[in-house]
Amino acid sequence: MAVPQVAIVGRPNVGKSSLFNWLARRRLAIVDDHAGVTRDRMVTLIEHEDRFFELIDTGGIGIVDDDDLTDDVSRQIELAINSADVIVIVVDVQSGIMPLDESVAERLRGIERPVILVCNKADQPHQDIQAEEFHKLGRGHMVQVSTTQNRNREQLLDLIVDRLPDANEEVHAETQMKVTIVGRRNVGKSTFVNTLAESDRMIVSEVPGTTRDSVDVRFEMDGQTFMAIDTPGLRKRKSQRTDLEYYGMHRAQRSVRRADVVLMFFDASETVSKVDKQLIGYVMENHKPCVFVINKWDKLHNTVPTDRWVRYLRAQFPTLAYAPIAFITGQTGKNVKALLNHSTMLYKQSCERVSTGQLNRVVRAAVEAHIPPLHQGRRPKVYFATQVATQPPTIVLVVNDPKSIGNDYQRYLLGVFRDHLPFGEVPIKMYLHKRHRNEEDPTEIK
């Protein structure tokens, strides 16, 4: 089970970023009186009552962006809402209900997930009565808070944790593994799906862009049931001439989010494009296991050695050096079964969970072999590590100062985890968590 996510939403200038910083106890998001400062989603890990969750800050719903990025901001908000297990709606007690507050509540009307209504800027207890008018929004349990006066922080965190999915609840996943096939136009995705299904399930044509929506296709192989998700072929945003192409891109992104494993298709006779890199960037952003699939290999297998393509891909995507590479001919089915078997292995890796003892033995050995470099004249301290989620494997490293562990050392630790833990070919999330003063003093990893 992945780390639960909590999305903060609301109209502009109600204090969403202030609330985000306040709950995180760190100044992470920019806070400014000018509306529209927040555009991208910002994510941080929060711990409360022995539960971890990812808190997501979003832009203001209804903002008109000064740089013509309104659609992009709205898309980021939509992504946060779609991925959230709990939604926090923020309103401003001092300004009262505004038409945009009602628009926010209406936008979330069909969302069947827990909602908490946070009445911000209730700096004094006597202002709590002003919050009563927000009941008419009809969304979620209400709590009055003040980020400036530090009112009711613990109460809000308790409400959030109470509404998170049960950490001990057994997750009943679908019986089939979901494999999403992505790539540029005309790289053979639909032909591959037809080969898996052993039928003409998808229209196959030499005309680029034949597939216009994401299509789920169930199939069986060796007694196992799988779901293949075919997606529209993508091209550069500036080349998207119709609404169908625009929405096709977003449906492809949604299919990536649904995937257990992503198969990134390339045409063996073509070089990597900007669209390929954008797709891979989205796969990485969502921490999905990925296989690079070189399709139509029958065209080149007698003229180009496989290791040349391997070196080429590794140079194009150096941060995905752990991702396996497969060479197939989708039309004939050559190597397709091996590809599915390897995809199943990746899925199992993403679901693996290691004990805290095993993880800390690996961390201790890593720190002993390569001590963290000095930061501002001080040696960083690593206290202990724990795995808090799967799909993707998520590891929390408790340290004295998260800022003291640089990116190079983080990459070193991730490499060690892949070498010594059962996560060798899948993305790993790692959070650096500052030890609270009231925590018991665990044995420091020296």
Side-chain angles (χ1 to χ4, degrees), residues 32-64:
D32 192 275
D33 290 335
H34 178 72
V37 172
T38 301
R39 288 172 171 169
D40 296 309
R41 288 169 292 154
M42 180 165 286
V43 183
T44 190
L45 189 73
I46 303 290
E47 181 187 13
H48 183 68
E49 300 295 339
D50 296 324
R51 289 298 307 273
F52 286 94
F53 62 89
E54 291 177 334
L55 188 66
I56 308 173
D57 188 22
T58 65
I61 293 178
I63 188 68
V64 177

Side-chain angles (χ1 to χ4, degrees), residues 235-246:
R235 59 178 177 173
K236 293 179 183 178
R237 182 177 296 184
K238 66 180 180 181
S239 301
Q240 293 170 4
R241 299 175 181 174
T242 67
D243 288 344
L244 282 173
E245 291 179 338
Y246 174 80

Side-chain angles (χ1 to χ4, degrees), residues 192-211:
F192 173 74
V193 171
N194 286 344
T195 299
L196 294 177
E198 297 182 339
S199 68
D200 291 335
R201 182 65 177 78
M202 303 298 299
I203 298 173
V204 177
S205 168
E206 292 300 319
V207 178
T210 301
T211 302

